[in-house]
Amino acid sequence: MTTTPSGRQARRAAFASMIGSTIEYYDFFVYGSAASLAFNKLFFPTADPAIGVLLSLSTFAVAFVMRPVGAAIFGHFGDRLGRKRTLFVTITLMGVGTTAIGVLPTYQQIGLAAPILLVLARLVQGLALGGEQGGAWVLSIESTHAGRRGLSGAFVNSGSAWGLLLSNLVLLALSQLPDDAFLSWGWRIPFLLSATLIAVGVYVRLKLEESPEFVQVERTSAVRRAPLVDAVRTSWRQMILVALGALGLGANFYVASVFSLSYSTSSLHLPHSTVPTIILIMTVIVIFAMPLFGALSDRIGRKPVFLASAAAFVVSPFVWFLLFQTRNYGLMLLGFLFVFLTYAASFATFPAFFSLAFPTNVRYTGAAVSVNIGAALGGSLAPLLSAALFEATGSWVSIAIYISAVSALSVIAGIFLRELPDPAPAPVPSARPAAAHPGER
């Protein structure tokens, strides 16, 4: 019999997971914004300006390569040793990578070593986020009553919006600095502030309890020796579908939140503060909208909400670019609102819809690895490919077609993906039983 989570435990797990997501995404978004606005000048100054932007955005993309690796590593420990201890490590590691970026010397100071160190710090960020996201979902979902898992997961994912809000508030304040001051020292401040946020996250996670469902897995000696191998063996279809399901959101969101920064200033010649201000407004809306969509998914099902949002992502790039091109503030707001509300609806369903597609004993690994593969293919390439497509064609249409095609794959994946019955069974594939460890005795 599975231990029933208490209301207090559910609230604490959701809050701790949300705080962790806030910190992780603050760090990630700060980097994406800095890559668009400053890193081409600080770390790639010898390149042609357009090539410098591409190189800078490629360092944003490289962390996504490490996300599936981090998901596999931390998913292994999360499914073997527990969600709580693993998530404590991921949040600490993210803080180390982000703070390191804040103290890096630039190309002017140490030459080629500067972009190399930047990439290494970025890889650490990617490793940490790869393990954090899926684990935060799983801990929250498994600690919540079945009828409120959509709301709980959506609340956790609202941390991504809080992280985006904090990063844009900081960058908006710093945008008031003269360009020389921002490039000299101002860009470092958002990264160094991360150390304070990490201290808060560590304190909150120290008070967490392990999820009841993982405790049950330990009690029944169902902990697997090699969770990734077992996930691929028993749940490979779900892993493919989840990876494809994450493509559309990643492509749409990162073009709207990252590529838009350089596109708005270099191509549309808008002031530096225009897009950050719009994103700030949208982020506040998303913070409140995401839990509402999560609650809706508990009433009508995660799948219908996911499919509706995935279908909206197919058309959103055309709507967004058409309105963005007008340079009219009200119309640009409307375009961003379409993208960000669709993002809120889609991302609200990810934790429950994707996590519950996997059995408990490989859930951390299965959800984390597959969604991060999707994020790597969708989110990491979106700003880079968008910049390259625009450079090659001089038109936004090619970008919109690319994003729309990627989003169509998510619709197809959502049609075939389903949650396992609740509580999800934990099948043990035919293999030698895992060696007992203290949690299994």
Side-chain angles (χ1 to χ4, degrees), residues 6 8-9 12-13 84 139 143 207-211:
S6 67
R8 179 181 179 184
Q9 181 180 2
R12 181 173 288 177
K84 173 186 173 179
L139 177 66
S143 301
K207 297 181 174 295
L208 278 179
E209 299 175 54
E210 187 53 81
S211 85

Side-chain angles (χ1 to χ4, degrees), residues 21-22 25 29 156-165 283 290 343 347:
S21 294
T22 298
Y25 276 94
F29 289 136
V156 171
N157 269 2
S158 71
S160 65
W162 281 109
L164 181 58
L165 176 64
T283 304
M290 202 174 292
Y343 160 76
F347 208 35

Side-chain angles (χ1 to χ4, degrees), residues 57-387:
L57 288 175
S58 70
T59 64
F60 176 78
V62 76
F64 283 85
V65 176
M66 290 300 291
R67 285 178 63 169
V69 178
I73 293 172
F74 292 112
H76 173 87
F77 291 109
D79 281 327
R80 280 191 59 77
L81 304 179
R83 289 57 161 127
K84 173 186 173 179
R85 283 178 283 183
T86 304
L87 289 172
F88 181 84
V89 175
T90 61
I91 195 172
T92 304
L93 189 62
M94 190 69 167
V96 170
T98 306
T99 305
I101 293 172
V103 298
L104 278 182
T106 63
Y107 187 95
Q108 186 177 8
Q109 295 169 311
I110 61 171
L112 188 60
I116 293 175
L117 290 173
L118 178 66
V119 169
L120 289 175
R122 184 65 175 153
L123 291 176
V124 171
Q125 279 191 318
L127 193 73
L129 185 55
E132 166 67 26
Q133 186 177 64
W137 293 353
V138 169
L139 177 66
S140 176
I141 294 302
E142 292 180 348
S143 301
T144 303
H145 185 272
R148 298 176 63 85
R149 285 177 165 177
L151 174 59
S152 178
F155 179 72
V156 171
N157 269 2
S158 71
S160 65
W162 281 109
L164 181 58
L165 176 64
L166 289 175
S167 65
N168 275 280
L169 281 173
V170 173
L171 288 166
L172 187 62
L174 293 174
S175 69
Q176 308 305 312
L177 291 172
D179 287 345
D180 289 346
F182 180 77
L183 292 174
S184 175
W185 54 267
W187 68 272
R188 298 182 184 275
I189 292 176
F191 295 98
L192 296 177
L193 284 176
S194 177
T196 302
L197 297 175
I198 291 297
V200 175
V202 167
Y203 173 77
V204 171
R205 289 201 169 169
L206 282 172
K207 297 181 174 295
L208 278 179
E209 299 175 54
E210 187 53 81
S211 85
E213 289 191 26
F214 180 76
V215 171
Q216 180 69 9
V217 167
E218 287 188 310
R219 286 176 179 172
T220 56
S221 298
V223 175
R224 305 307 301 150
R225 180 189 299 276
L228 179 58
V229 173
D230 291 338
V232 172
R233 184 183 302 167
T234 64
S235 306
W236 62 270
R237 292 180 183 85
Q238 294 97 307
M239 294 183 74
I240 292 173
L241 292 174
V242 168
L244 292 175
L247 291 178
L249 181 141
N252 278 274
F253 179 73
Y254 282 105
V255 165
S257 63
V258 175
F259 172 74
S260 63
L261 295 170
S262 58
Y263 179 74
S264 65
T265 55
S266 61
S267 299
L268 301 182
H269 307 292
L270 295 169
H272 283 284
S273 61
T274 299
V275 169
T277 303
I278 292 176
I279 292 177
L280 194 64
I281 295 170
M282 295 301 108
T283 304
V284 173
I285 293 173
V286 166
I287 286 172
F288 294 99
M290 202 174 292
L292 294 178
F293 283 117
L296 177 64
S297 75
D298 282 328
R299 292 181 62 85
I300 68 173
R302 265 79 70 171
K303 187 168 185 171
V305 177
F306 174 83
L307 284 175
S309 60
F313 273 141
V314 175
V315 300
S316 65
F318 295 98
V319 175
W320 180 71
F321 270 113
L322 281 169
L323 295 176
F324 204 5
Q325 295 293 120
T326 66
R327 298 181 178 85
N328 178 281
Y329 200 81
L331 293 177
M332 288 192 295
L333 275 174
L334 189 61
F336 274 87
L337 182 63
F338 185 21
V339 174
F340 275 74
L341 278 180
T342 304
Y343 160 76
S346 184
F347 208 35
T349 65
F350 273 32
F353 190 43
F354 288 172
S355 297
L356 295 175
F358 299 94
T360 309
N361 58 353
V362 296
R363 182 173 290 152
Y364 195 145
T365 302
V369 170
S370 51
V371 80
N372 278 290
I373 289 174
L377 295 175
S380 70
L381 296 178
L384 185 60
L385 283 179
S386 296

